[in-house]
């Protein structure tokens, strides 16, 4: 419970620093369920405020939730496969076992999402998802991000906003094989034993990232910045662009 309150408090602070204002949800859980069931094609929920609702185990596959607010909503084991969540607000949302495979989350905000605690222990799934330009501060250890698109995604620490302690993204043991992270910011992230096999890491900012044991076999690290990163036991077999990477 303490962690839950802490997460929501942080998300609220971050929300007030540039994200949209969140009010009362515009639909009830039953109304959301009815819309999903009645839609002849992809359900249209774009722009709606669905904050603080328990939407666990619902089927949002291929639904449109462009700029929708799911702030602090429970999405445990819900399916968002192929859904469009462009610029959606998922700050403080509960994402245990949530499936975002093939979903579009470009420009979305995932700050202080909840993935620990409760009966469901499975991490969220982002295989093949598009998180380009998204802002992410989350604990995603062991998460599936294979073939995900994270071009210019900001997963790094904002040093100017550390009043409540240093918040960072945890991708320890996560699978980012064949993912496209070109130009992404992962400064100070936790990435021990992360799998980045054959990933596009061109121009990625790994400054001060904790990457002990990470596997970058076959990855393209051209122009990536590893300055002050912890690289003990890192695997670079067949990696490309090593000559132009910094800090190796």
């Amino acid at each position: 419970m303490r962690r839950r309150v802490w997460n929501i408090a942080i998300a609220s602070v971050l929300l007030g620093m540039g994200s949209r204002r969140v009010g009362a949800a515009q639909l009830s859980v039953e109304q959301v369920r009815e819309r999903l069931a009645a839609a002849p094609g992809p359900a249209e929920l774009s722009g709606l405020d669905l904050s603080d609702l328990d939407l666990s185990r619902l089927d949002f596959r291929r639904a449109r939730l462009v700029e929708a607010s799911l702030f602090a909503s429970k999405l445990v084991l819900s399916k968002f496969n192929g859904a469009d969540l462009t610029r959606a607000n998922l700050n403080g949302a509960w994402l245990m076992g949530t499936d975002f495979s093939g979903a579009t989350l470009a420009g979305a905000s995932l700050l202080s999402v909840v993935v620990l605690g409760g009966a469901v222990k499975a991490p969220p799934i982002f295989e093949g998802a598009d998180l380009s330009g998204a802002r992410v501060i989350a604990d995603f250890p062991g998460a599936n991000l294979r073939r995900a698109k994270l071009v210019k995604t900001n997963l790094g620490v904002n040093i100017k906003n550390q009043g409540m302690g240093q918040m960072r993204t945890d991708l320890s043991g996560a699978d980012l094989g064949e993912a496209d992270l070109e130009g992404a910011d992962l400064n100070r992230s936790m990435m021990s034993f992360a799998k980045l096999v054959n990933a596009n890491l061109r121009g990625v900012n790994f400054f001060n990232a904790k990457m002990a044991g990470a596997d970058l076999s076959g990855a393209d690290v051209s122009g990536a910045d590893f300055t002050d990163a912890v690289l003990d036991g890192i695997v670079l077999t067949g990696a490309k662009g090593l000559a132009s990477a910094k800090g190796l």
Side-chain angles (χ1 to χ4, degrees):
M1 177 60 71
R2 181 177 299 175
R3 184 181 182 88
R4 164 69 172 160
V5 173
W6 184 83
N7 273 319
I8 297 304
I10 292 176
S12 298
V13 170
L14 294 172
L15 187 69
M17 299 184 66
S19 297
R20 296 178 303 283
R21 176 182 174 274
V22 173
Q26 293 174 267
L27 300 177
S28 67
V29 174
E30 188 55 38
Q31 287 173 321
V32 173
R33 186 179 288 110
E34 288 174 357
R35 285 206 184 188
L36 292 172
E44 181 58 72
L45 298 163
S46 295
L48 293 178
D49 187 345
L50 307 176
S51 58
D52 209 28
L53 295 177
D54 189 348
L55 304 171
S56 299
R57 301 176 188 273
L58 293 189
D59 188 348
F60 290 91
R61 283 179 291 184
R62 295 177 296 282
R64 282 179 47 81
L65 295 115
V66 177
E67 296 188 344
S69 176
L70 293 158
F71 176 80
S73 292
K74 294 182 180 179
L75 307 174
V76 181
L77 294 175
S78 292
K79 298 182 184 300
F80 288 87
N81 311 62
D84 188 351
L85 293 120
T86 301
R87 297 185 299 280
N89 178 358
L90 288 98
N91 296 344
W94 294 37
L95 303 182
M96 298 82 148
T98 312
D99 194 345
F100 293 99
S101 298
T104 299
L105 295 112
S109 183
L110 293 90
L111 303 177
S112 193
V113 297
V114 183
V115 297
L116 301 174
V120 178
K121 307 300 181 184
I125 302 168
F126 293 95
E127 183 169 3
D130 183 356
L131 292 108
S132 298
R135 180 68 177 112
V136 182
I137 291 289
D139 290 329
F140 287 154
N144 181 355
L145 289 114
R146 284 189 58 79
R147 294 183 293 278
K149 187 175 182 180
L150 297 107
V151 176
K152 296 185 178 179
T153 302
N154 187 352
L155 303 103
V157 171
N158 181 0
I159 292 299
K160 295 180 181 178
N161 180 33
Q162 294 300 310
M164 297 184 69
Q166 183 162 295
M167 297 166 285
R168 66 180 73 201
T169 294
D170 187 351
L171 291 167
S172 302
D175 189 350
L176 291 128
E178 300 179 42
D180 186 355
L181 292 97
E182 185 162 0
D185 185 356
L186 284 153
N187 84 81
R188 299 174 175 81
S189 296
M190 310 293 288
M191 302 189 70
S192 298
F193 299 101
K195 302 174 183 66
L196 293 149
V197 177
N198 296 324
N200 178 9
L201 306 176
R202 297 173 66 89
V204 174
N205 179 14
F206 288 115
F207 174 78
N208 204 17
K210 307 301 184 284
M211 303 181 68
D215 189 352
L216 281 68
S217 300
D220 187 347
V221 298
S222 301
D225 187 354
F226 295 90
T227 303
D228 293 337
V230 177
L231 304 173
D232 300 329
I234 193 171
V235 180
L236 292 166
T237 306
K240 299 176 285 290
L242 293 171
S244 64
K246 303 175 184 178
L248 284 177

